[in-house]
Amino acid sequence: MPIDRRSLLASGALFPLIGLQTRLAHSAEQAAREKADYTLRIATGLAELAPEHIVSTTLYNSQFPGPLLRFKEGQRTVVDVYNDTDTPELVHWHGQIISSDVDGAAEERSPYVPPHDMRRISFAPKPAGFRFYHTHVAAGADLNRGTYTGQVGPVYIDPKNEPGAYDREVFLVLKECEPSFSRGGDMAMDFLAGEPIKELQAIGKRGRKGGLTQHLGFAAAR
Ligand SMILES: [Cu+2]
């Protein structure tokens, strides 16, 4: 059978593709074999806000707040995120300096975790300290989405060098709820220890001007 130049080119072009496919399949297999450090499952569940005040909302691993995740500064970590809801979700790593493909922020073009699907996220956490993870879905007027849900959890990134010397670790996650659950007025802020940090206040001010109110507001545990 005569082979013309065109079909030769076409078949030749197949080889690198086949090679690539094998490599991709291999790395996917490897990834599957590697156990994730943490698994987060986004699903509807019940949260008890106060005695006899139980609400149905979206949670991480059926709990509010989500589980405490501990990372080591600069040490690669693997998190599997399962989205058991009917809508796309984003897990944002609040306060960490990591690339946008894993940072979980739509405005930085992070990919969503599709409904009833999962994404494996891998990154080297930094800087050290106490941070949050939370949904970065813009709720708009939908009170069943985004930061109106129970999707928030604590992250502690152990410092690479100075481990610190504490007698006791306490992680607090605060969230404001529907006014009927509170005693009215703004949440008291004067119980927070230490002086305000001017540098952080300036970042907050800049963020609010740039339309990042929701994101930075969460630092104050809204
Ligand atoms: Cu945030």
Side-chain angles (χ1 to χ4, degrees):
M1 185 183 137
I3 299 171
D4 62 21
R5 190 169 171 269
R6 184 181 291 244
S7 63
L8 190 68
L9 279 178
S11 65
L14 275 178
F15 290 113
L17 275 181
I18 290 165
L20 181 70
Q21 221 164 33
T22 323
R23 272 202 303 279
L24 282 179
H26 184 67
S27 63
E29 226 173 79
Q30 255 178 347
R33 248 183 283 138
E34 186 184 9
K35 204 179 163 294
D37 296 298
Y38 289 104
T39 298
L40 289 178
R41 250 180 202 283
I42 305 165
T44 307
L46 299 176
E48 189 173 16
L49 302 180
E52 289 176 41
H53 280 290
I54 295 169
V55 294
S56 171
T57 183
T58 312
L59 301 169
Y60 291 126
N61 297 6
S62 311
Q63 63 182 81
F64 175 80
L68 170 69
L69 309 185
R70 295 192 81 114
F71 300 140
K72 286 231 158 64
E73 184 185 5
Q75 193 177 303
R76 200 176 79 92
T77 187
V78 177
V79 181
D80 282 345
V81 181
Y82 288 84
N83 179 6
D84 295 340
T85 73
D86 296 331
T87 47
E89 266 302 339
L90 281 168
V91 175
H92 173 59
W93 304 98
H94 188 110
Q96 295 199 45
I97 304 166
I98 50 176
S99 69
S100 55
D101 58 323
V102 292
D103 194 37
E107 65 273 28
E108 294 171 19
R109 301 181 187 206
S110 309
Y112 282 83
V113 187
H116 303 286
D117 204 343
M118 67 85 67
R119 264 199 86 205
R120 170 162 279 202
I121 289 163
S122 175
F123 58 93
K126 67 173 181 185
F130 183 39
R131 321 262 165 231
F132 287 96
Y133 59 98
H134 67 92
T135 177
H136 229 261
V137 165
D142 188 346
L143 299 183
N144 288 310
R145 297 207 69 199
T147 45
Y148 292 116
T149 70
Q151 289 176 88
V152 60
V155 176
Y156 186 68
I157 302 164
D158 276 307
K160 212 190 305 186
N161 298 317
E162 297 158 55
Y166 308 106
D167 295 324
R168 200 170 160 193
E169 279 181 327
V170 178
F171 296 97
L172 284 178
V173 177
L174 307 177
K175 191 167 173 75
E176 282 186 89
C177 298
E178 198 181 326
S180 64
F181 293 125
S182 85
R183 291 179 210 141
D186 278 341
M187 187 176 82
M189 300 294 280
D190 54 358
F191 65 92
L192 295 170
E195 290 298 311
I197 301 165
K198 286 222 159 61
E199 221 182 332
L200 292 179
Q201 286 182 323
I203 293 171
K205 237 183 230 167
R206 277 204 304 276
R208 274 193 289 280
K209 270 188 205 146
L212 281 172
T213 327
Q214 188 196 358
H215 178 110
L216 290 160
F218 220 94
R222 288 217 156 83

